[in-house]
Amino acid sequence: MNPLIAYPLTWDDIEIRANNTIGIYKIKNKIAVLSCVSYTAHVDDSKDYMHGFILTFFSTDFTNHGQIRLMDLDDISALDCELNEKDGRFIINTKKYKGYRKSLEKLIEVTDEELKVIGDAPAPLDNTYSDGKVYCFGNIEVYMHSAFIMACREADSGKVIWKTKLGAYLYTDVDEKDGILYFGTDGMGGKFFAVNLSDGSIKYSYNTRGTSNFLYYKDYVLLSNEKNKPVLINRNDGTLYKKLEFDKFEITVYQQMIIDNDKLYAIAAKGNTAYAVCTDL
């Protein structure tokens, strides 16, 4: 297989008004991109605005692809949608969060043959962003004390153990491995951080101009760098290990990407067109 393969996420038979990618996933033995589209529908001599889901799926080597649609739906907010796996089933919740706008409020099952409405969505959640969450590691709680200050306290006593100035907004959830906290920030440049859980000292930071997603791969972390290109950095010390082949494509702002069998699959843009891109790690 070539180091990089890209497939445009466009549909010539639809008069598209808006196309929002909900995510890229591994569904059974296929790579799948779920898109939420708004389009112009022609009914008799008039036009109407409609909404729908398009699932574009690929073989893992990107040589084969197909598509499933669920169209002519009522209003959908892509920001309210999420695709999750539960007990081997893949379900779209079209009203996960409160506070955006009127949405479809349905549960939709995704299979390799169809998108099917299976019921009403549960009551929506309050949308809590990463910087408003409390991250628990045993009896230790990590949270944002203020916009740019991360803090750590004992869960039982509330005693503050440390505070660390990040100089940017927390933009991802906080993950912990072997006593090190890993997370991404945005604003004031934006960086990827590794911070010692024990005392809040910064082990390293890597400039990305904004990290909204990151993935682990072997002894490395996969990031989108300051030029919106994928890179691998050493997880232990934050040094650059490798720049991945990505041609003129740029990873989009939500940095939607997955790793499967030593390959990166990502949503990327070139010009005004969105693509699904596959490249070797």
Side-chain angles (χ1 to χ4, degrees):
M1 190 178 106
N2 295 328
L4 183 143
I5 296 178
Y7 186 86
L9 299 172
T10 57
W11 304 280
D12 293 337
D13 61 321
I14 307 174
E15 190 176 330
I16 293 288
R17 297 179 62 231
N19 170 23
N20 295 290
T21 302
I22 294 171
I24 185 167
Y25 312 90
K26 179 74 177 292
I27 298 180
K28 296 183 178 179
N29 61 342
K30 297 175 181 177
I31 304 300
V33 176
L34 181 63
S35 303
C36 176
V37 299
S38 300
Y39 60 97
T40 302
H42 296 268
V43 180
D44 297 326
D45 294 327
S46 63
K47 293 183 178 181
D48 196 6
Y49 296 131
M50 302 297 294
H51 308 270
F53 292 104
I54 299 177
L55 187 78
T56 308
F57 56 85
F58 309 86
S59 57
T60 54
D61 62 3
F62 259 40
T63 56
N64 298 308
H65 59 84
Q67 187 182 102
I68 302 168
R69 297 182 181 185
L70 182 61
M71 308 299 281
D72 299 337
L73 299 174
D74 292 333
D75 203 12
I76 303 170
S77 169
L79 291 173
D80 282 327
C81 296
E82 185 175 70
L83 175 63
N84 283 314
E85 181 181 4
K86 183 177 181 181
D87 301 327
R89 301 172 72 195
F90 292 86
I91 308 294
I92 306 169
N93 182 351
T94 66
K95 185 99 178 187
K96 179 177 173 58
Y97 294 119
K98 297 178 183 178
Y100 288 112
R101 57 184 174 86
K102 181 181 177 182
S103 195
L104 187 65
E105 302 184 30
K106 296 295 182 182
L107 294 178
I108 299 168
E109 184 168 10
V110 178
T111 72
D112 54 2
E113 296 180 351
E114 64 177 343
L115 299 171
K116 180 175 67 175
V117 176
I118 59 172
D120 294 330
L125 306 172
D126 288 321
N127 190 4
T128 303
Y129 294 101
S130 297
D131 59 357
K133 297 179 181 179
V134 176
Y135 302 91
C136 299
F137 309 104
N139 189 45
I140 300 299
E141 295 180 341
V142 174
Y143 61 100
M144 293 305 293
H145 179 266
S146 59
F148 295 161
I149 304 294
M150 177 173 281
C152 176
R153 67 192 175 206
E154 295 177 348
D156 52 5
S157 68
K159 178 184 176 182
V160 176
I161 302 171
W162 52 257
K163 294 180 181 179
T164 296
K165 184 177 182 180
L166 303 179
Y169 296 100
L170 180 65
Y171 211 59
T172 71
D173 285 352
V174 178
D175 191 39
E176 184 270 339
K177 286 185 179 294
D178 302 321
I180 305 298
L181 303 175
Y182 297 96
F183 54 89
T185 65
D186 197 13
M188 305 296 288
K191 296 178 181 179
F192 175 77
F193 280 90
V195 170
N196 287 294
L197 177 59
S198 60
D199 61 8
S201 59
I202 297 174
K203 187 176 176 69
Y204 64 81
S205 63
Y206 189 90
N207 182 34
T208 60
R209 294 180 59 196
T211 294
S212 57
N213 189 22
F214 63 92
L215 302 172
Y216 299 114
Y217 174 71
K218 297 182 179 179
D219 294 327
Y220 311 103
V221 178
L222 176 70
L223 299 168
S224 175
N225 70 6
E226 74 281 2
K227 295 183 179 179
N228 304 316
K229 305 287 187 180
V231 296
L232 290 170
I233 66 171
N234 289 284
R235 184 157 63 91
N236 184 55
D237 61 13
T239 57
L240 178 65
Y241 169 71
K242 183 180 182 181
K243 295 181 179 180
L244 303 188
E245 171 62 40
F246 219 59
D247 194 40
K248 295 182 180 180
F249 296 97
E250 295 184 358
I251 292 178
T252 52
V253 64
Y254 293 112
Q255 298 172 6
Q256 295 161 319
M257 49 193 185
I258 61 172
I259 292 173
D260 185 66
N261 289 330
D262 300 323
K263 297 187 186 301
L264 167 66
Y265 300 91
I267 304 301
K270 185 163 68 172
N272 294 322
T273 303
Y275 291 80
V277 176
C278 172
T279 191
D280 293 336
L281 291 171

